[in-house]
Amino acid sequence: MTDSFTTPIEQAAQVATQRRRLTIGLPRSAQAAERRFPLTPEAVNILVEQGFTVKMERGAADVIHYTDNRYSRCGAAIVDRRSTLQCDLVIHLSPLSVADVNDMKRGAMLLTLFHSSAKLTRPLVEALMRHGIIAIALDLIKEPQGHALFADILSEIDGRASIAIASSLLADAIRGKGILLGGVAGIVPCEVMILGSGLAARAAAMSAIGLGAQVRMFDGDTYSLRSALAALGPGVAGSVPHPHVVENALRSADIVVATTMNNAPVIDSDRVELMKRGVITFDISSTPGKIFPSLPTVDLAVARSCDNTLDGYRVCYINAGSAVPRTAAMALSNSLVTMLHDVITCEGMSNAVKLTPGLQGATLTFGGHAVNPDIARTAGCRPTDLALFLQLS
């Protein structure tokens, strides 16, 4: 007799550990001087697929000409400002206000830029410590090889943008000279003078060479200068910034770009008088305004138009990278997606600082303490040794 009943057989059941989805908040920039936005819609889509929940304030990406609907289709939740500040990880490139910090979740992580540290006031730093915020400076993050991932890409954008904008200003037939940088047979090319030989200086030089200009680069660090000249080729003439050599270069330069360098020469009012009429001047150093103290500055992050004169006088342009905010957003997104993938595997913001390479050296505040010397000085306290603090926590 055949048994018509089937015998159940035990099967292995898949067991999964429930992991809470980390939330990323993208508030709108609180400062008009910061047009750059950290994530593109494509980057948001990748982060959502990796397991993050992304919340963006309404209209936050208007500065890079992306609509809320574009982000929503990529998986972001469009919410009010307070909801973005309540996330586990908040990305805001310019300093937040004290009121914003007060709305943040205790122990949350804040990703920002250190170049704006002068705007990190004592009340703001105290608020970060009071709420136990883990503040990380993106531009201080370094890879194991020593490369400053975010700072380098922003410097490269600044260098490229400065030459692109300067070229446009020179070519303007109404407010400029109506000339090209070079590349036309039989016409002497324009001269571009670059102070510094770092990444921003090299990027500016490469752009200028590509447009046919003659480039002169100055730096007191002969090793850095030698490396830059080897990378750029014979199209660039390099020199140590001896006073007479600098003054002769200023007399003939059509574009002057100042970048970050040690012992940068100060171009005072007497030296400015040596410069050509209609010369285009950029300061893309980490301390804009100090190299050209007599020139009024035009912040391209807030300027509605570029004009090389201000009441008949020369001007100095700053924040060149903010004039191309979508390019900056794409570059930042590439690096952030990689870094945040490492963060999500660390099970918590504190563990992320311990386990993610490069974050410890970029931490400003942690667990209610100021761990960066400059930030501690702003708060009027002594800095805490982060490595020791992490071992004991």
Side-chain angles (χ1 to χ4, degrees):
M1 180 177 179
T2 305
D3 188 358
S4 61
F5 296 98
T6 58
T7 303
I9 301 176
E10 295 181 356
Q11 298 288 331
Q14 184 176 2
V15 179
T17 302
Q18 185 69 24
R19 176 184 292 177
R20 187 177 70 86
R21 292 172 66 93
L22 291 177
T23 55
I24 298 176
L26 301 174
R28 187 177 189 133
S29 177
Q31 297 183 5
E34 184 54 80
R35 288 180 179 173
R36 294 169 296 186
F37 193 70
L39 293 175
T40 60
E42 294 79 6
V44 167
N45 185 54
I46 294 172
L47 291 172
V48 170
E49 290 179 350
Q50 289 181 354
F52 287 98
T53 296
V54 180
K55 298 182 180 181
M56 189 182 81
E57 183 180 357
R58 294 181 183 88
D62 289 350
V63 287
I64 57 172
H65 306 291
Y66 280 123
T67 63
D68 291 346
N69 189 42
R70 181 73 178 272
Y71 280 86
S72 180
R73 292 201 304 267
C74 290
I78 308 303
V79 296
D80 58 19
R81 185 175 188 82
R82 192 172 188 278
S83 296
T84 65
L85 295 169
Q86 284 287 308
C87 290
D88 302 307
L89 191 154
V90 177
I91 310 177
H92 192 271
L93 301 182
S94 60
L96 287 171
S97 66
V98 174
D100 284 337
V101 173
N102 290 336
D103 281 337
M104 290 184 66
K105 180 189 298 185
R106 185 167 190 83
M109 179 179 287
L110 170 65
L111 298 182
T112 186
L113 291 176
F114 186 72
H115 82 278
S116 301
S117 60
K119 300 174 184 177
L120 290 176
T121 61
R122 181 166 182 167
L124 177 55
V125 175
E126 289 175 346
L128 290 171
M129 293 191 296
R130 187 168 58 250
H131 287 78
I133 303 300
I134 303 172
I136 305 289
L138 290 172
D139 43 344
L140 296 185
I141 295 175
K142 290 188 177 181
E143 295 179 325
Q145 298 82 3
H147 303 301
L149 186 62
F150 293 92
D152 286 352
I153 191 64
L154 292 177
S155 294
E156 187 175 4
I157 292 172
D158 284 342
R160 294 279 185 179
S162 64
I163 296 300
I165 297 168
S167 175
S168 176
L169 290 170
L170 281 178
D172 191 326
I174 305 300
R175 296 174 295 180
K177 290 185 175 181
I179 59 174
L180 296 174
L181 282 187
V184 180
I187 299 177
V188 176
C190 291
E191 291 187 20
V192 176
M193 177 182 179
I194 299 176
L195 298 174
S197 58
L199 192 57
R202 298 182 192 194
M206 290 180 67
S207 290
I209 294 170
L211 292 172
Q214 293 181 339
V215 180
R216 302 182 69 178
M217 180 176 285
F218 295 85
D219 199 335
D221 185 342
T222 54
Y223 288 98
S224 176
L225 183 62
R226 183 183 295 115
S227 176
L229 295 178
L232 294 168
V236 179
S239 172
V240 171
H242 295 297
H244 292 302
V245 179
V246 169
E247 290 173 3
N248 288 335
L250 287 171
R251 287 187 174 94
S252 58
D254 298 282
I255 298 172
V256 180
V257 180
T259 68
T260 300
M261 60 183 291
N262 294 326
N263 301 317
V266 176
I267 312 300
D268 55 21
S269 58
D270 291 336
R271 286 181 166 182
V272 167
E273 289 301 319
L274 300 175
M275 298 165 71
K276 283 182 178 181
R277 182 179 179 181
V279 63
I280 312 296
T281 304
F282 272 84
D283 188 347
I284 55 175
S285 68
S286 58
T287 56
K290 291 188 176 181
I291 297 178
F292 302 96
S294 65
L295 290 180
T297 58
V298 174
D299 191 340
L300 293 176
V302 295
R304 294 188 177 182
S305 63
C306 293
D307 191 346
N308 197 39
T309 60
L310 183 66
D311 297 330
Y313 296 94
R314 299 182 181 92
V315 298
C316 177
Y317 294 103
I318 63 174
N319 285 337
S322 291
V324 287
R326 185 181 281 199
T327 295
M330 290 187 287
L332 288 170
S333 293
N334 292 337
S335 300
L336 278 169
V337 165
T338 302
M339 189 193 79
L340 293 177
H341 174 73
D342 296 334
V343 168
I344 199 173
T345 63
C346 295
E347 297 292 346
M349 298 298 102
S350 296
N351 285 334
V353 176
K354 294 179 183 179
L355 302 176
T356 305
L359 288 193
Q360 292 188 29
T363 304
L364 307 180
T365 61
F366 185 94
H369 299 268
V371 297
N372 176 278
D374 292 329
I375 296 301
R377 194 176 302 114
T378 299
C381 62
R382 298 182 63 180
T384 300
D385 186 339
L386 179 60
L388 180 61
F389 189 78
L390 289 174
Q391 289 178 0
L392 299 175
S393 61

